[in-house]
Amino acid sequence: TSFGSPVYHVMQDSKGTYWLPSKPNGLFRLHERADGKFSVEHFVHDAHDPGSLSENELYYSQEDAQGRLWVASFNGGINCIPNPQAEHPQFMHAGNDLKLPKDISLRVRQLHITHGHILMAATTKGLLIADISPKDAKQIAFKLHVKDVNRSSSLSNNAAMYVAEDSNHRIYVCTESGGVNQIVSEDLLADHLEFRHFNMSTGFPSDVALSAVPFGDEIIIVSNNQILLLNPDADYPPNYEAFVWK
């Protein structure tokens, strides 16, 4: 089916609704009808409506335990939809009621919500973290973690690409040129997080980590031209060239 818009992510929420973030055409909401066809609704940024999307270049969406939808945008930070099933849902973002860091321009590539209701956002400026358990999204506070040249255990690279969580609830942050960072701090809401680095300086085959998929106790890492299997409990993770799957 030709959809007519470049869709970057597809997710189905707990109500059975499909959400399709696209770039540069905003957000699509799809409901499946009894005849198997879909009704399609389209939401875009409206400069005259502060409750509309922050912008139209969208990359990712996630639903939290309270049924709210969180949407990553590349030029407008994060959008929160408290009432995603409403006929005319309202969008919260840095331009109205969402307390995102306002001193920087947040370009968000991907979102992950942990089993403990912690929102993690992979941005071009670092790793953004928030406790999203409050019912009122206006009360949510966000913390940005960046590379600190004075701390060797800080984030290895600010250009975060993807966040993944394994079966043991260990968190991994893929970066554009700093390999994979495993969060070793127990408190994910701490002011300063400690990271374990998997990159070429520590024996990992590549510094480029684009995305990740949990695979049992291991993590499959997508690099530029390789598929890497990361075993955090092994000294030297195996390296598989992409052509193995061709």
Side-chain angles (χ1 to χ4, degrees):
T1 299
S2 177
F3 193 72
S5 181
V7 174
Y8 277 67
H9 186 231
V10 177
M11 67 153 288
Q12 185 180 29
D13 66 21
S14 58
K15 303 295 184 181
T17 303
Y18 288 91
W19 297 91
L20 282 64
S22 76
K23 176 184 176 182
N25 297 326
L27 184 65
F28 294 88
R29 181 171 67 180
L30 278 65
H31 290 105
E32 187 172 9
R33 304 195 306 239
D35 60 3
K37 297 182 180 180
F38 287 85
S39 64
V40 180
E41 297 167 282
H42 189 200
F43 305 102
V44 296
H45 171 69
D46 182 349
H48 302 290
D49 180 6
S52 67
L53 270 169
S54 62
E55 62 121 1
N56 294 326
E57 295 190 353
L58 310 181
Y59 277 173
Y60 209 86
S61 60
Q62 284 281 279
E63 182 188 25
D64 66 18
Q66 300 182 48
R68 296 175 298 201
L69 196 71
W70 298 84
V71 183
S73 75
F74 200 60
N75 286 303
I78 298 174
N79 288 256
C80 175
I81 311 176
N83 54 343
Q85 305 301 326
E87 182 178 358
H88 302 289
Q90 294 295 300
F91 295 82
M92 297 177 63
H93 44 76
N96 47 44
D97 294 320
L98 206 59
K99 297 178 181 178
L100 288 167
K102 294 185 178 180
D103 56 336
I104 57 174
S105 176
L106 280 178
R107 296 187 171 192
V108 186
R109 293 187 172 108
Q110 184 255 357
L111 302 170
H112 174 73
I113 299 176
T114 72
H115 75 292
H117 313 297
I118 304 297
L119 175 69
M120 295 189 165
T123 86
T124 58
K125 298 291 186 179
L127 178 65
L128 191 66
I129 295 181
D131 177 5
I132 57 173
S133 58
K135 292 183 178 180
D136 186 355
K138 296 179 182 179
Q139 300 176 359
I140 295 174
F142 293 83
K143 170 70 177 178
L144 185 67
H145 296 271
V146 299
K147 180 177 180 178
D148 184 348
V149 294
N150 298 313
R151 285 199 309 123
S152 60
S153 60
S154 70
L155 193 68
S156 65
N157 185 269
N158 287 342
M161 302 293 294
Y162 204 93
V163 180
E165 183 174 1
D166 69 12
S167 57
N168 294 315
H169 303 303
R170 294 178 290 192
I171 305 296
Y172 303 85
V173 183
C174 296
T175 70
E176 191 174 60
S177 58
V180 180
N181 290 239
Q182 178 190 350
I183 300 178
V184 296
S185 301
E186 291 187 6
D187 182 8
L188 296 178
L189 299 175
D191 288 337
H192 300 286
L193 293 179
E194 302 294 317
F195 296 88
R196 179 188 179 192
H197 304 146
F198 297 92
N199 50 37
M200 295 184 71
S201 67
T202 61
F204 202 61
S206 175
D207 283 337
V208 178
L210 304 177
S211 61
V213 178
F215 185 69
D217 293 333
E218 298 173 315
I219 298 288
I220 296 174
I221 307 295
V222 178
S223 186
N224 271 346
N225 59 357
Q226 297 174 322
I227 301 296
L228 309 172
L229 188 62
L230 172 58
N231 181 347
D233 302 316
D235 292 332
Y236 299 99
N239 172 18
Y240 296 95
E241 296 291 344
F243 65 77
V244 172
W245 280 269
K246 287 185 178 179

